[in-house]
């Protein structure tokens, strides 16, 4: 990455709820050696964020998703661009294209499979040639799950088939931007399927090795585990295809853990109803109108939020149980994960990979160490024969 660019990191979308939290985190943790800037459409709103985080001299850059030239400018000025501007399927591609062309590393917090697959089909090869790392899902989707599976695999024997199951527990309140992104994603099933097909047509998978990621199945493991059909198992499987350390035959299963069966059934029914209602345009519009993208939980509400992801790994006659845990998953910890991902891409000694890559492939141990120092725990709970 050229050292003559004026900024190590540019944060795009700092005036949104999660973007402002990310700016606040960088203000406290980037350090004096980091040259960074805020970017967005409204200078007045950027100035308000700059005042709130107490850095009156922090540079402000104009960038607008409807003005590709402005995105080309910020990509050319930065070593890393981190963005919180979603829904990404609606607003994200011009910045990915600009970073892929400029050889600029890119990080976002999308959980939208359609967007990730389309960006691979359209921009992976250009990024691979330019040296850019395009790293999606650098927030709660999917850092704890991707790095947690990676952390678990590294504690099992090498060169053997491996199975890992993840079980998410926690609580937290969504922001308006997250609600808008989630409803947009679940209302686009046909588009998501077409994007997945477009990716398969151009993606080269490893010969002689298999890796699968699924939403799991309903099961009882000291509590009820429900299938969790998020982007996370797809991200984990892509890490496994790229890294031989996951063995010749790897399977990841993704769940949400609930103590009581009625609560599990209620959660499943509610999720199913929301998906069904999101398919009806007038109902979807009404749901979106109930909360605006800039809304989010209060500091007090976030302080009471937490997450734990427990991983059960088996392979080579051994069994290991690990855990990744932290505070408010959707906002405080997502802002931390995105900021530390950007810092990691800017400053750490990383594997020489490029193109669209996952957090485990792009950053792996370096990002785990950063997150540990920032208060997110990666713990081995137990080891035993299988």
């Amino acid at each position: 990455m050229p050292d003559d660019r004026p900024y190590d990191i540019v944060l795009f979308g700092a005036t949104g709820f999660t973007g402002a939290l990310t700016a606040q985190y960088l203000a406290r943790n980037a350090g004096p050696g980091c040259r960074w800037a805020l970017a967005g459409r409204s200078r007045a709103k950027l100035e308000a964020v700059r005042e709130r985080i107490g850095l009156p001299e922090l540079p402000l850059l104009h960038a607008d998703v409807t003005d590709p030239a402005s995105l080309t400018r910020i990509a050319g000025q930065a070593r890393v661009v981190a963005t919180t501007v979603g829904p990404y399927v609606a607003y994200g591609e011009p910045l990915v294209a600009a970073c892929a062309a400029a050889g600029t590393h890119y990080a976002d917090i999308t959980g939208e499979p359609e967007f990730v697959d389309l960006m691979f089909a359209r921009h992976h090869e250009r990024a691979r040639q330019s040296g850019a790392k395009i790293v999606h899902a650098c927030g709660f989707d999917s850092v704890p799950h991707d790095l947690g599976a990676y952390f678990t695999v590294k504690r099992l024997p090498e060169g053997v088939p491996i199975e890992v199951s993840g079980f998410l527990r926690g609580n937290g309140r969504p922001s308006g931007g997250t609600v808008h992104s989630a409803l947009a994603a679940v209302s686009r099933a046909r588009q998501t399927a077409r994007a997945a097909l477009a990716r398969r047509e151009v993606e080269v998978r490893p010969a002689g090795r298999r890796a699968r990621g699924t939403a799991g199945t309903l099961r009882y493991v000291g509590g009820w585990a429900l299938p969790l059909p998020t982007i996370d198992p797809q991200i984990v499987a892509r890490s496994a295809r790229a890294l031989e350390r996951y063995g010749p035959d790897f399977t990841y299963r993704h769940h949400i853990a609930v103590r009581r069966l009625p609560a599990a059934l209620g959660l499943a029914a509610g999720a199913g109803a929301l998906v069904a209602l999101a398919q009806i345009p007038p109902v979807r519009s009404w749901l979106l109108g109930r909360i605006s993208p800039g809304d989010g939980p209060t500091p007090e509400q976030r302080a009471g939020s937490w997450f734990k992801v427990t991983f059960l790994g088996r392979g080579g006659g051994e069994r290991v149980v690990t855990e990744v845990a932290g505070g408010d998953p959707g906002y405080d910890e997502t802002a931390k994960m995105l900021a530390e991902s950007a810092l990691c891409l800017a400053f750490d000694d990383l594997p020489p990979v490029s193109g669209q890559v996952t957090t485990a492939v792009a950053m792996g141990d370096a990002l785990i160490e950063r997150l540990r120092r920032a208060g997110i725990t990666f713990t081995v709970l137990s080891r035993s024969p299988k």
Side-chain angles (χ1 to χ4, degrees):
M1 178 67 62
D3 290 328
D4 58 354
R5 300 188 180 189
Y7 304 113
D8 298 308
I9 297 169
V10 169
L11 174 62
F12 181 43
T15 59
F17 189 84
T18 307
L21 291 174
T22 307
Q24 184 178 69
Y25 185 89
L26 285 170
R28 294 173 177 170
N29 298 280
C34 180
R35 305 162 302 159
W36 64 289
L38 304 180
R41 278 187 310 176
S42 169
R43 184 172 183 88
K45 291 182 178 179
L46 289 173
E47 288 174 346
V49 172
R50 182 171 66 177
E51 181 178 355
R52 196 182 318 148
I53 63 177
L55 295 176
E57 303 302 319
L58 188 69
L60 305 179
L61 308 177
H62 173 75
D64 187 336
V65 294
T66 65
D67 178 9
S70 70
L71 303 179
T72 298
R73 282 194 297 272
I74 67 167
Q77 291 178 287
R79 301 174 67 229
V80 180
V81 176
T83 173
T84 62
V85 180
Y88 290 89
V89 75
Y91 304 122
E93 182 171 5
L95 183 57
V96 173
C99 289
T104 301
H105 302 324
Y106 165 99
D108 66 28
I109 54 171
T110 189
E112 304 163 49
E114 177 189 0
F115 174 70
V116 174
D117 287 345
L118 284 177
M119 294 308 94
F120 184 93
R122 295 173 181 172
H123 303 292
H124 165 73
E125 185 58 26
R126 183 70 184 92
R128 191 188 65 77
Q129 293 172 358
S130 73
K133 292 178 173 69
I134 306 298
V135 193
H136 302 291
C138 292
F140 186 67
D141 286 327
S142 296
V143 168
H145 317 287
D146 189 30
L147 293 185
Y150 170 85
F151 178 81
T152 304
V153 164
K154 291 190 72 175
R155 276 125 192 101
L156 291 166
E158 296 188 46
V160 300
I162 289 175
E163 294 184 0
V164 176
S165 293
F167 303 91
L168 168 64
R169 293 177 292 137
N171 72 338
R173 293 184 55 164
S175 77
T178 296
V179 172
H180 279 241
S181 293
L183 288 175
V186 300
S187 69
R188 297 175 60 88
R190 284 177 293 181
Q191 295 94 325
T192 298
R194 286 198 296 267
L197 178 60
R199 181 186 186 118
R200 285 197 297 272
E201 288 175 347
V202 298
E203 186 173 25
V204 178
R205 298 198 175 191
R209 297 176 55 242
R210 295 195 307 167
R212 298 170 300 283
T214 74
T217 57
L218 178 66
R219 55 194 291 195
Y220 185 80
V221 283
W224 290 95
L226 279 69
L228 188 56
T230 61
I231 195 174
D232 305 303
Q234 298 174 32
I235 298 292
V236 171
R238 286 166 191 156
S239 295
R241 292 186 193 110
L243 298 173
E244 289 191 10
R245 183 61 180 83
Y246 287 69
D249 191 354
F250 176 82
T251 301
Y252 177 72
R253 299 181 179 90
H254 197 48
H255 310 80
I256 187 167
V258 181
R259 289 188 180 276
R260 296 182 176 84
L261 183 59
L265 297 175
L267 182 63
L274 183 62
V275 170
L277 290 171
Q279 311 309 311
I280 306 169
V283 177
R284 184 169 66 250
S285 296
W286 180 84
L287 289 169
L288 291 173
R290 306 299 294 174
I291 185 169
S292 65
D295 293 340
T298 66
E300 293 75 21
Q301 290 167 335
R302 298 198 310 272
S305 299
W306 57 274
F307 77 89
K308 291 182 180 180
V309 190
T310 303
F311 297 90
L312 171 59
R314 294 188 177 94
E318 296 187 20
R319 178 182 186 273
V320 62
V321 180
T322 67
E323 180 185 86
V324 180
D328 171 55
Y331 303 97
D332 290 339
E333 300 295 52
T334 283
K336 178 187 295 181
M337 293 170 197
L338 178 62
E340 291 292 354
S341 294
L343 292 164
C344 189
L345 289 168
F347 295 112
D348 293 353
D349 185 15
L350 300 177
V353 297
S354 59
Q356 189 191 99
V357 285
T358 65
T359 54
V361 174
M363 295 173 275
D365 295 317
L367 185 53
I368 288 175
E369 183 56 33
R370 280 187 169 274
L371 295 175
R372 277 178 149 167
R373 292 198 301 265
I376 295 175
T377 60
F378 289 75
T379 309
V380 176
L381 299 181
S382 68
R383 294 173 181 265
S384 64
K386 186 174 178 179

